[in-house]
Amino acid sequence: MAKEKTVFTCTECGGTSPRWLGKCPACGAWNTLIEQVAEAGPGKNRYSGAQFAGLNQAQAVMPLSAIEASDVERTPSGIDELDRVLGGGIVEGGVVLIGGDPGIGKSTLLLQALDALQRAGLPTLYVTGEESGAQVALRSRRLGLDHSQVNVLAEIQLEKILATIESMQPAVAVIDSIQTVYSDQLTSAPGSVAQVRECAAHLTRAAKSSGVAIVLVGHVTKEGALAGPRVLEHMVDTVLYFEGDTHSQFRLVRAIKNRFGAVNEIGVFAMTEKGLKGVSNPSAIFLSQHSEPVPGSCVMVTLEGTRPLLVEIQALVDSGGPSPRRLSVGLDKDRLAMLLAVLHRHAGVACMDQDVFVNAVGGVRISEPAADLAVMLAITSSLRGKALPRGFLAFGEVGLAGEVRPAPRGQERLKEAAKLGFSVAVVPKANAPKKPIEGLTIHAVERVEEAMNVVREMG
């Protein structure tokens, strides 16, 4: 009996190699090649000349100005925070990919959204490949979704799923999860690169042709990336990631890609006994409740998509040994080292023999440089043991020459702070508003030493 021909496929990019290699020749990832049976049959003749000949007359070439285009219609999902991340609601024929750690709440959130859509009069379908129908029914009862009319299909074969979607024509279909689905046309196991890629491509084509909105649930790897080829993210219209510790009450849903809305938009949820509930004022999560101002704490306003969020930056400066530590949680560690050097050179604040710990409260990750000024003021406050005044906030990017650069959309940040009762702000000079903001005293600075002097005079 002839031995089956095998190839080695990369789990990251889907590239193939005839023999095992430590490094993928296509994307350069290490230890990602796995052995699989080589595909045979119609796959190699998929792009035949006859098919191309048929495609040539499929669509006429037209200039952009001659193509009729209208704004996409959105259907609210019934969960405001989810609608915010999606860009206003679910789009007809749109494909959404949701990734996150096991047990973080992906299936819970989608079941709640489908139930809300069903109660609004829209037909829905929940395809589960990881649980039985009875398990999904038990979860719906735990969430308080009594007498839910959401249609459930426990199936992992792609052809049967597509046939069900075509016959039912639901408004929204959820596939939980894409890694469990397999097609009879391929010999590889469910969850392999080829199966994930082909099944996602077929479901995407079905969504575009029928107008059914499809939501794919994706597993993530140990590193937090979506399992399977990265091409999965390119196929779909929207990619959402669940963030947050499973031991914490709060969850963040972040949009990484969205063809119908803002990127990096976030939705904030609280996990309760009755499922995930949207948090309308997330700034309250990221601000510690101190009865009196404490040293080493400074509030800043960060932007997540279109939403300004107030986040507390905490710093602890303590006497270190011969090799002092620099540790940051929620902020870039390399940027912290740079800010300490700028603080020493341009403001005369030396931390060379001190351990410096910086933390963004609430588990939020801040990637924008507008946090620089707040980090430096928190470090200085902790080093001197003097608290910043009550109702104080600061934001701005700091350069190596000691200058304070403006942050984007500074007016919105200041208005959000004033709305939440903050009274004093130190901001870059370019972000100073032309008209005064009621209840907010603004100190505009151009350099780091100016900001330090302003804070000393307040103290």
Side-chain angles (χ1 to χ4, degrees), residues 385-459:
K386 290 188 177 180
L388 294 167
R390 185 184 291 278
F392 177 89
L393 71 99
F395 62 84
E397 179 185 352
V398 175
L400 288 175
E403 78 278 15
V404 180
R405 297 198 189 108
R409 293 164 57 192
Q411 307 291 319
E412 292 180 34
R413 297 177 196 246
L414 291 170
K415 286 175 182 174
E416 178 73 11
K419 193 165 64 176
L420 290 172
F422 282 79
S423 55
V424 186
V426 173
V427 301
K429 192 169 186 180
N431 284 136
K434 294 177 182 175
K435 296 180 181 177
I437 296 174
E438 188 178 350
L440 192 62
T441 304
I442 296 169
H443 301 274
V445 297
E446 288 184 304
R447 297 192 58 79
V448 172
E449 49 266 40
E450 285 181 52
M452 297 298 164
N453 290 333
V454 167
V455 172
R456 280 195 202 99
E457 288 168 9
M458 288 179 190

Side-chain angles (χ1 to χ4, degrees), residues 13 37 40 56 69 87 99 101 105 217 259 262 267 387 417 433:
C13 69
V37 178
N56 287 340
D101 294 329
V217 178
R259 289 176 179 154

Side-chain angles (χ1 to χ4, degrees), residues 7-19:
V7 293
F8 292 86
T9 309
C10 175
T11 56
E12 290 290 321
C13 69
T16 59
S17 169
R19 57 195 175 87

Side-chain angles (χ1 to χ4, degrees), residues 7-54:
V7 293
F8 292 86
T9 309
C10 175
T11 56
E12 290 290 321
C13 69
T16 59
S17 169
R19 57 195 175 87
W20 187 86
L21 298 169
K23 184 178 181 181
C24 172
C27 67
W30 288 92
N31 299 322
T32 57
L33 292 179
I34 58 170
E35 189 175 13
Q36 291 184 338
V37 178
E39 299 294 339
K44 61 183 178 183
N45 297 321
R46 185 180 298 167
Y47 302 115
S48 61
Q51 284 179 309
F52 277 124

Side-chain angles (χ1 to χ4, degrees), residues 162-363:
L162 289 173
T164 305
I165 292 174
E166 190 177 346
S167 62
M168 283 187 57
Q169 284 296 308
V172 182
V174 170
I175 313 297
D176 187 6
S177 68
I178 188 63
Q179 272 84 9
T180 62
V181 180
Y182 76 96
S183 171
D184 279 341
Q185 304 299 315
L186 300 172
T187 57
S188 51
S192 64
V193 172
Q195 287 282 11
V196 170
R197 183 171 51 202
E198 287 300 310
C199 292
H202 278 90
L203 288 164
T204 302
R205 281 197 291 272
K208 302 302 178 189
S209 61
S210 64
V212 176
I214 290 182
V215 182
L216 308 176
V217 178
H219 294 170
V220 294
T221 60
K222 287 185 291 185
E223 291 78 24
L226 277 165
R230 292 303 297 269
V231 73
L232 199 61
E233 295 184 359
H234 297 284
M235 286 181 187
V236 301
D237 299 312
T238 306
V239 180
L240 307 181
Y241 272 100
F242 258 89
E243 294 178 2
D245 190 354
T246 51
H247 305 293
S248 169
Q249 179 189 3
F250 298 105
R251 308 280 191 272
L252 301 182
V253 179
R254 188 185 301 273
I256 303 298
K257 167 190 175 181
N258 195 349
R259 289 176 179 154
F260 306 117
V263 182
N264 278 334
E265 192 71 79
I266 68 163
V268 185
F269 295 90
M271 180 62 84
T272 67
E273 291 181 357
K274 297 294 183 181
L276 288 163
K277 305 290 183 186
V279 178
S280 56
N281 180 21
S283 292
I285 302 169
F286 308 123
L287 294 176
S288 293
Q289 303 300 322
H290 302 296
S291 56
E292 291 295 328
V294 295
S297 171
C298 182
V299 175
M300 70 155 295
V301 191
T302 184
L303 276 181
E304 290 287 355
T306 59
R307 167 186 278 181
L309 287 179
L310 275 83
V311 178
E312 182 179 350
I313 305 293
Q314 291 182 338
L316 176 63
V317 181
D318 197 11
S319 56
S323 55
R325 300 178 65 193
R326 277 89 174 88
L327 184 66
S328 63
V329 179
L331 296 146
D332 186 6
K333 185 171 67 174
D334 295 331
R335 197 159 189 88
L336 173 61
M338 184 193 83
L339 293 176
L340 290 171
V342 173
L343 201 58
H344 179 215
R345 182 68 179 267
H346 296 286
V349 179
C351 300
M352 294 167 304
D353 57 344
Q354 306 283 318
D355 287 337
V356 180
F357 305 97
V358 178
N359 176 40
V361 171

